[in-house]
């Protein structure tokens, strides 16, 4: 029997062009994909997220076989399944005459540590290759970050534009500006034309996976109804084409807007497919540029979208790896409160939270501004433990993998890293939510009131957050204005604001927090609890 190369393919490596497959010979390679219990349980994934990953993996295995690869696929319910990546490598090594392992580096520290242990464990060479699906390698990011006091995303992004030559005219950015973000801040109204969403009904494989998730994970939250996710590259490309044709034109203008009942608006909803490998982010950016060059979309929209991908997405990954495995333990503001149970049940009278949480429960998706300004902002203002917040985001969003979720939650949204990712906390009062959404009009709270029975909780919490964190945030130049405003409040105003926030937090603490199981409630979304 000829010696073989083992090529493990992880659940977020569903790309035909994966670096581990470069130069591989189908005749002497065994591709291994495994549904691992460790991976399905290391956080309490939303059931839709779990079903998406398992179904996309099963479809990808089939597509690889059709391309001539020998794929060994271990299902979750296989009686011999060891439950871990390392256990499955061990079993594959014992089944075949494996002379070496070639694998693409993992997306996160936890899994990378496993890969790095294999050579010693199995006594055969293990080649860990760079993940070429990112424009900047770890070394590129380290080089960029070296000797910089602040890791400002905008400067990294410019380097990425030069590196990819996206929207460049020689050395100069298209339109002679790098960033058109100022044009991207329009609120949206419900009567604007919104793109219909593409829908990919479940096929036999997805239905089987849905049944598996329903029976095997009864303790998890989230709806599996109205399945609409693509699980193949072909369908993910259809979703991409849909976005390019119908949403990209308005993406920039309404990037920060929130409208009741509109889950995705003009957002791409492509992150699940990009992060699991079904879509190539750089090819997507090139398609966006082409639309601009053909005069089909405006520069602000094209630039804004490309910035999200080669800028923010890659910057977050760079920070995650640069900061090291200890990043997740940072807690700059020493925040310790547990998340309210409404984060799992969507039962709250605060309409903005109810909308964002209800939609998250139903679809495992919320767009950026809901994640940042509603759920993230509220968690930070009440002083929630940033690691608990991170875990919640890891659980509930279909696009969540540690490398991208952690810097977004702990860093950007909770300021838990003290300013590595963002220069100031994304704290906002009810006024901002009211400006960018239609959530406030039907809410039982009034976004213009700071104190009183119907005052929007965001308002007193916002000032109280600044006040109680003054020792840590008082010197932040970007917070000079709000602190000046607070200082101009009279003593009575300050006292009543503090009292309002304290009463709210006391009420919050008296209610159940966290989530222990389905008996805590699946989806109320009917506003029975106040918070
Ligand atoms: P669009 O708004 O249409 O943006 C286009 C693409 O840009 C996205 O598909 C995504 O690939 C990329 N992008 C935009 N912003 C970011 C960003 N800040 N970081 C990384 N990529 C970005 N994104 C994830 O992919 N996984 C996460 O687990 C995740 N958690 C988040 C948690 C918080 C608290 C916040 C504030 C943001 C988080 N994001 C995360 C970033 C962003 O919200 C999502 O990428 C976006 O909502 C995905 O939806 P979309 O495809 O419709 O994005
Ligand atoms: C997130 C996830 C889940 C839920 N299940 C699997 C799985 O069964 N098998 C697998 O190969 N990968 C899975 N993943 C993705 C991994 O947990 C991990 O996030 C990536 O491999 C990145 O390191
Ligand atoms: Fe949210 Fe306050 Fe507006 Fe209600 S009034 S929707 S709680 S911002």
């Amino acid at each position: 029997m000829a010696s073989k190369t083992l090529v493990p393919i992880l659940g977020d490596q569903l790309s035909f062009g994966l670096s581990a497959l470069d130069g591989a010979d189908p005749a002497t390679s065994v591709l291994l994909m495994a549904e691992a219990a460790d991976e399905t349980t290391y956080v309490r994934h939303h059931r839709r997220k779990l079903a998406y990953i398992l179904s996309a993996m099963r479809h990808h295995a089939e597509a690889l076989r059709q391309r001539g690869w020998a794929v060994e696929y271990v299902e979750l319910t296989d009686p011999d399944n060891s439950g871990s990546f390392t256990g499955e490598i061990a079993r594959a090594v014992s089944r075949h005459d494996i002379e070496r392992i070639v694998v693409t580096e993992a997306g996160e520290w936890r899994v990378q540590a496993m890969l790095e242990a294999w050579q010693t464990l199995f006594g055969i060479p293990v080649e860990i290759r760079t993940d070429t699906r990112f424009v900047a390698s770890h070394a590129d990011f380290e080089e960029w970050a070296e000797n910089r006091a602040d890791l400002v995303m905008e400067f990294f992004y410019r380097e990425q534009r030069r590196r990819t030559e996206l929207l460049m005219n020689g050395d100069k950015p298209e339109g002679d500006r790098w960033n058109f973000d100022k044009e991207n801040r329009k609120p949206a109204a419900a009567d604007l034309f919104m793109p219909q969403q593409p829908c990919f009904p479940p096929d036999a494989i997805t239905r089987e996976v849905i049944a598996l998730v329903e029976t095997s994970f009864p303790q998890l939250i989230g709806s599996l109804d109205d399945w609409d996710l693509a699980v193949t590259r072909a369908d993910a490309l259809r979703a991409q084409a849909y976005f390019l044709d119908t949403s990209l034109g308005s993406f920039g203008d309404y990037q920060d807007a929130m409208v009741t009942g509109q889950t995705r608006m003009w957002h791409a909803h492509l992150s699940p497919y990009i992060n699991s490998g079904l879509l190539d982010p750089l090819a997507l950016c090139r398609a966006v540029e082409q639309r601009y060059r053909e005069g089909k979309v405006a520069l602000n929209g094209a630039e804004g979208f490309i910035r999200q991908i080669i800028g923010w997405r890659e910057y977050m990954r760079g920070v995650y790896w640069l900061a090291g495995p200890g990043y997740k333990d940072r807690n700059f503001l020493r925040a310790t409160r547990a998340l309210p149970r409404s984060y799992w049940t969507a039962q709250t009278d605060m309409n903005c939270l109810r909308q964002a949480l209800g939609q998250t429960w139903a679809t495992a998706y919320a767009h950026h501004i809901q994640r940042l300004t509603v759920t993230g902002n509220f968690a930070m203002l009440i002083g929630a433990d940033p690691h608990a917040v991170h875990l919640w985001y890891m659980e509930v969003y279909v696009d969540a993998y540690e490398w991208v979720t952690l810097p977004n939650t702990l860093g950007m949204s909770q300021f838990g890293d003290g300013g590595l990712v963002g220069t100031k906390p994304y704290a906002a009062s009810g006024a901002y939510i009211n400006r960018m959404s239609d959530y406030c009009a039907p809410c039982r709270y009034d976004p213009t009131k700071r104190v009183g029975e119907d005052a929007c909780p965001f308002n007193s919490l916002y000032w109280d957050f600044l006040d109680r964190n003054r020792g840590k945030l008082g010197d932040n130049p970007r917070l000079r204005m709000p602190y000046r405003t607070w200082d101009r409040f009279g003593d009575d105003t300050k006292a009543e604001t503090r009292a309002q926030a304290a009463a709210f937090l006391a009420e919050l603490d008296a209610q159940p927090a966290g989530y222990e199981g389905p008996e805590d409630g699946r989806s109320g979304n009917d506003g029975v609890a106040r918070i």
Side-chain angles (χ1 to χ4, degrees), residues 9-13 33-37 39-42 45 49-50 53-54 57 76 85 106-108 110-112 400-403:
I9 295 183
L10 308 179
D12 60 351
Q13 298 184 340
M33 298 179 72
E35 296 175 1
E39 301 308 307
T40 58
T41 55
Y42 77 95
H45 305 283
K49 175 186 180 190
L50 206 48
I53 292 173
L54 299 186
M57 283 177 64
L76 202 60
F85 286 141
E108 61 205 63
R110 179 181 63 86
V111 182
Q112 183 68 6
Y401 301 87
E402 190 180 88
W403 68 266

Side-chain angles (χ1 to χ4, degrees), residues 4-15 18 20-21 24-26 28-36 39 56-58 60-62 64-65 68-76 78 80-96 98 100-104 111 114-115 118 122 124 126:
K4 302 246 170 169
T5 299
L6 184 67
V7 184
I9 295 183
L10 308 179
D12 60 351
Q13 298 184 340
L14 311 182
S15 314
L18 194 71
L21 294 171
D25 178 357
T28 57
S29 302
V30 177
L31 277 47
L32 177 70
M33 298 179 72
E35 296 175 1
E39 301 308 307
M57 283 177 64
R58 289 183 184 196
H60 189 65
E62 213 34 62
L64 287 167
R65 282 189 192 116
W69 295 101
V71 184
E72 296 213 340
Y73 192 94
V74 186
E75 293 194 356
L76 202 60
D78 183 327
D80 297 325
N81 188 334
S82 63
S84 73
F85 286 141
T86 300
E88 287 315 292
I89 300 292
R91 288 204 314 127
V93 168
S94 69
R95 276 197 303 271
H96 302 274
I98 300 291
R100 66 177 191 136
I101 297 174
V102 177
V103 63
T104 294
V111 182
M114 295 180 204
L115 270 50
W118 289 345
F122 302 120
I124 51 175
V126 176

Side-chain angles (χ1 to χ4, degrees), residues 267-271 275 305 308 365 368 371 399-400 405 408:
H267 291 271
H269 194 269
L270 294 177
S271 51
N275 292 352
F305 188 81
Q308 306 307 312
Y365 174 81
H368 186 71
R371 298 187 202 195
D399 54 19
T405 315
N408 269 298

Side-chain angles (χ1 to χ4, degrees), residues 466-467 469-470 473-474 479-487:
L466 289 177
D467 185 36
N469 288 300
R470 189 158 201 153
L473 301 175
L479 292 176
R480 212 167 283 145
M481 280 288 286
Y483 274 115
R484 216 174 278 157
T485 306
W486 172 251
D487 289 340

Side-chain angles (χ1 to χ4, degrees), residues 82-155:
S82 63
S84 73
F85 286 141
T86 300
E88 287 315 292
I89 300 292
R91 288 204 314 127
V93 168
S94 69
R95 276 197 303 271
H96 302 274
D97 179 17
I98 300 291
E99 67 173 2
R100 66 177 191 136
I101 297 174
V102 177
V103 63
T104 294
E105 65 192 340
E108 61 205 63
W109 286 103
R110 179 181 63 86
V111 182
Q112 183 68 6
M114 295 180 204
L115 270 50
E116 286 171 1
W118 289 345
Q119 181 151 316
T120 310
L121 210 57
F122 302 120
I124 51 175
V126 176
E127 187 188 342
I128 302 178
R129 294 189 178 164
T130 298
D131 192 340
T132 50
R133 298 173 301 169
F134 292 90
V135 173
S137 65
H138 298 327
D140 290 334
F141 194 85
E142 278 161 24
E143 194 185 317
W144 173 77
E146 205 178 1
N147 302 325
R148 277 173 199 267
D150 298 309
L151 304 182
V152 180
M153 198 293 288
E154 180 65 24
F155 297 129

